[in-house]
Each structure stands twice: as C-alpha cells, then as structure tokens.
Amino acid sequence: MATCGIAAGARPVLNAFVEEVNNAGISDSVIVTQTGCIGMCRYEPIVEVFESDKEKVTYVYMTAEKAKRVVEEHIKNGKVVTEYTVGAAEK
C-alpha cells in the first residue's frame, strides 16, 4: 500500500480480501494487513500469502476479482492460484 500500489489499485484489492475473509468466516485464523513498498512496483498490486509451514506465495497484478479466487482456492483450500503468481508473470 505504498504510493505505487495505491496508484495501481491496491485499495480495492485490500478491501476485497478483508470482505472475502470475513464472508468466509475465517477471520479468526487469517490476518489481512497492509505493508509498504517491497521494490517490485511494476507488478503492483502485490499480495503475499504467508503460511506458517510453507514458503510465502507472491501474487501480482491483483484485482478485487482475483482476490476472491485467492481467498477461496488458496487461503481456504490450500491450492495456490499459480497463474496469478510472480513466477507466472515472469514467463
């Protein structure tokens, strides 16, 4: 949520994550938070998903619609949405 992220549309993405986590009833086990620039401005909006026993997953070019899918498939069901990740974007 640094200037570059906000300009790229990060605020609606953050709002979508908060809403979807609340709607899914998982807000007691999921923390949605914002951070500043991580130095990858061209990929904004960026979302990082951290799980205690796994490597972080970095999602790029996020939208509110993509956020809904990430909550449903990855956060709730443990399946990474590979086509939204930084690795897919770099190919």
Side-chain angles (χ1 to χ4, degrees):
M1 293 286 292
T3 305
C4 56
I6 293 169
R11 192 169 312 282
V13 172
L14 175 66
N15 293 340
F17 268 100
V18 170
E19 183 177 329
E20 290 302 309
V21 165
N22 286 332
N23 289 346
I26 56 175
S27 60
D28 58 335
S29 61
V30 174
I31 298 170
V32 178
T33 188
Q34 62 187 41
T35 187
C37 183
I38 64 169
M40 297 172 40
C41 301
R42 70 183 186 145
Y43 294 112
E44 291 286 358
I46 297 171
V47 170
E48 293 180 319
V49 176
F50 295 89
E51 296 175 83
S52 60
D53 58 341
K54 299 178 183 176
E55 284 190 42
K56 76 175 176 183
V57 176
T58 302
Y59 290 107
V60 296
Y61 305 123
M62 290 299 293
T63 64
E65 285 303 310
K66 289 179 179 180
K68 293 175 185 179
R69 185 169 171 205
V70 168
V71 170
E72 181 62 32
E73 293 183 26
H74 184 170
I75 296 173
K76 282 181 61 182
N77 296 310
K79 182 180 180 283
V80 175
V81 185
T82 307
E83 62 265 31
Y84 297 166
T85 63
V86 69
E90 291 178 344
K91 291 181 181 179

